[in-house]
Amino acid sequence: NAGVTQTPKFRVLKTGQSMTLLCAQDMNHEYMYWYRQDPGMGLRLIHYSVGEGTTAKGEVPDGYNVSRLKKQNFLLGLESAAPSQTSVYFCASGQTNEKLFFGSGTQLSVL
Amino acid sequence: QQQVKQSPQSLIVQKGGISIINCAYENTAFDYFPWYQQFPGKGPALLIAIRPDVSEKKEGRFTISFNKSAKQFSLHIMDSQPGDSATYFCAAFSGGTSYGKLTFGQGTILTVHP
């Protein structure tokens, strides 16, 4: 099993551009999450999903949108990227909402 | 609003020493406290976790100590090894429904010198 796979691994955007980060899990997990990691800030929850077709806002949802059309995939979209969205993005999944399995991250730079 | 406060931000320990990382929380509804370990270029991975009905949990060289009255918990790494060098995150979970979620501390960068 691949676990949690994130694509792309690296991306550089110009301010105002849009992009979608893809998270795929092959563990049949119900729960999926998008976090961002910034130095000194820990991991902050952006959006999450408690099952196929559901989404909910986390701690820092502004500027991001998500979709979970299929159980195994959770997409994070940036409609108009801003330099403040420069970060490392992690996707996580879990069969329960307590124990999470993380992907390897996407390093995003917005110039 | 940071509901879980973690310290220190960075820690340097000699091989064989004890590493101690502390976390404090405010929300008494938290009922599950995991620690995650993250190596450079990787995602965090669950290391050890505790529930508030016990005061200590040990797995190998890793121990969580939990003080419910003080609303604090800590990770102790005994006989620290260079391979333990990583970033450690404490977290707290408030559940009750399917919309429960983890709140993470700020992270501690641990360096173990040979």
Side-chain angles (χ1 to χ4, degrees):
Chain A
N1 290 345
V4 179
T5 303
Q6 293 183 230
T7 53
K9 294 189 183 301
F10 303 93
R11 186 71 185 269
V12 179
L13 290 179
K14 294 181 179 179
T15 297
Q17 287 185 318
S18 63
M19 77 163 295
T20 299
L21 280 67
L22 172 63
C23 177
Q25 53 96 1
D26 61 1
M27 297 173 282
N28 201 35
H29 286 167
E30 291 293 333
Y31 300 89
M32 297 190 74
Y33 303 82
W34 276 107
Y35 288 89
R36 59 177 289 173
Q37 182 177 7
D38 303 288
M41 302 292 287
L43 293 156
R44 292 182 293 169
L45 182 62
I46 304 172
H47 286 282
Y48 63 110
S49 169
V50 303
E52 181 179 325
T54 74
T55 63
K57 294 181 179 180
E59 183 185 356
V60 288
D62 294 342
Y64 305 95
N65 57 75
V66 289
S67 65
R68 188 144 179 227
L69 300 179
K70 293 183 179 181
K71 186 177 184 179
Q72 63 268 34
N73 295 336
F74 195 30
L75 279 62
L76 177 70
L78 286 73
E79 291 187 347
S80 179
S84 61
Q85 294 178 305
T86 293
S87 186
V88 180
Y89 291 85
F90 286 99
C91 175
S93 71
Q95 187 52 41
T96 72
N97 50 10
E98 288 183 341
K99 182 178 180 179
L100 302 187
F101 296 82
F102 283 82
S104 295
T106 295
Q107 188 169 331
L108 175 66
S109 295
V110 183
L111 305 178
Chain B
Q1 181 182 2
Q2 185 59 257
Q3 294 192 54
V4 179
K5 295 184 178 180
Q6 183 172 346
S7 63
Q9 190 170 359
S10 62
L11 179 63
I12 299 174
V13 174
Q14 292 297 122
K15 178 182 177 181
I18 302 174
S19 303
I20 302 174
I21 304 171
N22 301 298
C23 284
Y25 63 96
E26 299 175 356
N27 187 351
T28 55
F30 288 142
D31 57 7
Y32 176 70
F33 301 88
W35 285 87
Y36 280 77
Q37 179 188 53
Q38 182 185 30
F39 294 107
K42 302 294 184 182
L46 180 63
L47 181 64
I48 187 173
I50 196 169
R51 295 194 186 275
D53 54 344
V54 297
S55 60
E56 185 175 283
K57 183 173 182 180
K58 183 177 180 179
E59 290 183 3
R61 296 184 294 107
F62 300 89
T63 300
I64 300 178
S65 296
F66 185 81
N67 187 329
K68 187 174 182 178
S69 61
K71 293 187 285 186
Q72 296 176 347
F73 58 110
S74 59
L75 177 69
H76 297 237
I77 306 175
M78 310 300 289
D79 187 26
S80 299
Q81 299 297 312
D84 297 329
S85 297
T87 299
Y88 292 81
F89 292 98
C90 64
F93 178 84
S94 56
T97 72
S98 59
Y99 286 88
K101 49 191 179 292
L102 287 170
T103 300
F104 285 87
Q106 299 93 325
T108 297
I109 300 172
L110 172 65
T111 303
V112 182
H113 286 314

